[in-house]
Amino acid sequence: MAPSATLPGLEPEYVEFHAGKGKLKRAVLKGDHKKATFASIPAVDFAQMWSDSLNDRKEVALHVGKAFREVGFLYAVNHGISEDIQARTFAVTKEFFELPLEEKMKIHLNKSPAIKGYEALLETRLDDTTRGDNKEAINFSDDPYDPDHGCPPDFDKSYYPPGPGPINQWPQKPSNFRSIMNEYRTAMSDFARRLVRIIALSLDLDETYFDYMLEFPMAGLRPLHYPPQEASTDVGIGAHNDYSWFTCVWQMTPTPALEVLNSNAEWISAPPIPNTLVVNIGDFLERATNDVFVSTVHRVVNKTGDERYSLAYFFTPSHNVMLETVPTCWSFDRPKRYEDVNAGKWQRERLYRARYKHPASIAAKQAGEI
Ligand SMILES: O=C(O)CCC(=O)C(=O)O
Ligand SMILES: [Fe+2]
């Protein structure tokens, strides 16, 4: 969204956020200037997503489409990820983050040409009025060389650095971390592939319209740990848009901290609801839908005094597809706003810009690639 001009009679008050091409700001609208926008995050029941009846799936799509058009966020109820997988995933996540820093730094992402691995507290700074993002994380991606990730044997792997060889850096401790994360990843991948079909229905397309993009999607997992804030000016993650197609966040602890920005630049709380996923649209799907679906700004502010853990799953199509504007999202009255784009190129540019201090990003900048 473009920066808003100051409106007459309004204090020039803005919320700044990190978007793909840098920093943007949104005017805080008050009184008569307020727009119709959301004040809460809708919940959608996904139980019928697995139904054999197309009508049942269309019913889910109706609610999903409304939420993605109006809010860009929803709570997915009955998402199908078992409580057993959740409990084991939470246990290994907590165990990893409780290790001494020295142990965690063994898999720091600067050691990985693919920019995967551990990032420490305050290492990123999405909001430069703060001392940094008060969170630590590990970034994993779906890896065509990982036998557990199900890549088709003849898939073009040229996109994946440094080739041939594994993309991810897995911690040695806890020893069952990798197998449990991969189990969670498989469950999320099933959910995401189904959701892609629901999204097709919600855009009045044939259910299988996007299937050609799903040969080996550029999906990734990101376990996150947010310690309690030390200063009132701290943030867990500064305001930003995601660059995925969509993101599914499991808020692992009952710590309210996630906030979503509406069109009036008010922060709307998205507190954890047990057994739900928070699903939000990223910039890439906003672009593919000609802005019909909205990629909504969000941030994490952990003021509770408690530890917070979450697990984000980012979903983006296979690297080798050209993404065109979805045919039902443009017309004579709503011309195409964006060029077609190669999915891998888009993803890599955004990753390099987000990780601008990484050696691979510096090299790409020097080579004029970004
Ligand atoms: O932890 C959360 O709830 C959100 C994380 C997030 O926004 C991100 O990793 O992009
Ligand atoms: Fe995010």
Side-chain angles (χ1 to χ4, degrees):
M1 177 173 169
S4 312
T6 309
L7 296 171
L10 270 184
E11 297 292 315
E13 200 185 317
Y14 295 95
V15 170
E16 292 196 333
F17 56 94
H18 238 274
K21 291 209 158 76
K23 206 176 241 187
L24 296 180
K25 56 185 180 176
R26 184 174 301 171
V28 179
L29 302 181
K30 292 179 185 151
D32 292 348
H33 299 289
K34 278 195 172 192
K35 297 179 191 169
T37 182
F38 62 89
S40 62
I41 311 300
V44 176
D45 189 343
F46 277 72
Q48 298 305 322
M49 181 165 80
W50 282 271
S51 165
D52 291 338
S53 146
L54 179 61
N55 279 341
D56 287 348
R57 299 195 296 274
K58 281 188 172 167
E59 181 67 25
V60 178
L62 207 66
H63 298 292
V64 167
K66 184 171 160 53
F68 286 165
R69 282 175 174 86
E70 294 174 3
V71 185
F73 267 76
L74 59 81
Y75 286 102
V77 182
N78 288 319
H79 48 63
I81 316 270
S82 78
E83 288 190 32
D84 172 53
I85 296 181
Q86 290 182 40
R88 285 182 288 123
T89 307
F90 177 53
V92 290
T93 299
K94 194 161 175 290
E95 220 179 302
F96 172 81
F97 284 123
E98 282 170 358
L99 291 171
L101 181 61
E102 189 184 302
E103 184 66 33
K104 294 185 278 194
M105 289 298 279
K106 287 182 183 166
I107 57 158
H108 190 272
L109 52 72
N110 277 1
K111 297 180 182 170
S112 149
I115 323 188
K116 302 299 161 210
Y118 174 69
E119 56 184 325
L121 290 175
L122 306 178
E123 202 175 290
T124 58
R125 192 156 70 115
L126 284 178
D127 178 345
D128 53 25
T129 66
T130 67
R131 65 192 178 114
D133 295 325
N134 194 24
K135 62 102 181 58
E136 54 182 341
I138 336 169
N139 300 280
F140 300 103
S141 95
D142 276 14
D143 181 348
Y145 300 104
D146 189 324
D148 290 340
H149 291 186
C151 183
D154 54 354
F155 182 70
D156 164 22
K157 301 184 186 63
S158 58
Y159 171 79
Y160 289 88
I167 302 298
N168 292 315
Q169 302 191 82
W170 294 98
Q172 292 196 330
K173 295 178 195 164
S175 60
N176 52 354
F177 186 95
R178 177 183 178 159
S179 62
I180 291 175
M181 271 303 150
N182 272 344
E183 218 182 311
Y184 183 83
R185 176 220 155 261
T186 303
M188 272 314 310
S189 168
D190 290 348
F191 175 85
R193 283 169 180 270
R194 291 279 178 157
L195 178 56
V196 169
R197 289 192 160 193
I198 294 288
I199 286 173
L201 289 175
S202 75
L203 294 168
D204 293 323
L205 296 161
D206 185 274
E207 198 175 19
T208 57
Y209 179 81
F210 294 119
D211 281 10
Y212 75 100
M213 299 180 180
L214 305 184
E215 196 181 359
F216 191 67
M218 294 182 287
L221 272 183
R222 188 185 204 203
L224 288 140
H225 168 225
Y226 304 84
Q229 284 182 201
E230 283 166 26
S232 62
T233 49
D234 270 358
V235 291
I237 295 189
H240 68 281
N241 301 98
D242 291 349
Y243 53 87
S244 55
W245 247 35
F246 55 79
T247 306
C248 305
V249 174
W250 167 31
Q251 305 194 70
M252 297 168 125
T253 42
T255 323
L258 178 61
E259 297 178 341
V260 179
L261 194 67
N262 72 14
S263 308
N264 296 324
E266 296 159 323
W267 286 109
I268 304 300
S269 173
I273 301 180
N275 250 318
T276 63
L277 291 170
V278 174
V279 184
N280 66 281
I281 296 300
D283 288 352
F284 204 3
L285 187 51
E286 180 182 67
R287 177 188 173 115
T289 61
N290 215 19
D291 300 334
V292 167
F293 283 178
V294 286
S295 167
T296 302
V297 176
H298 52 285
R299 67 177 184 183
V300 175
V301 190
N302 180 11
K303 295 183 195 141
T304 61
D306 296 327
E307 308 289 330
R308 176 176 190 263
Y309 294 89
S310 66
L311 180 46
Y313 173 83
F314 301 97
F315 183 88
T316 298
S318 312
H319 75 87
N320 51 0
V321 296
M322 277 307 280
L323 271 194
E324 298 161 11
T325 306
V326 168
T328 51
C329 293
W330 67 277
S331 63
F332 182 75
D333 295 329
R334 190 187 178 95
K336 285 187 192 181
R337 298 175 183 178
Y338 304 101
E339 304 281 303
D340 298 350
V341 68
N342 167 264
K345 187 168 181 292
W346 157 273
Q347 174 90 347
R348 182 168 288 157
E349 280 179 15
R350 290 293 299 259
L351 178 65
Y352 282 165
R353 273 198 231 118
R355 300 270 169 224
Y356 61 94
K357 288 186 194 154
H358 189 281
S361 314
I362 294 167
K365 192 156 184 141
Q366 279 165 356
E369 289 168 23
I370 54 165

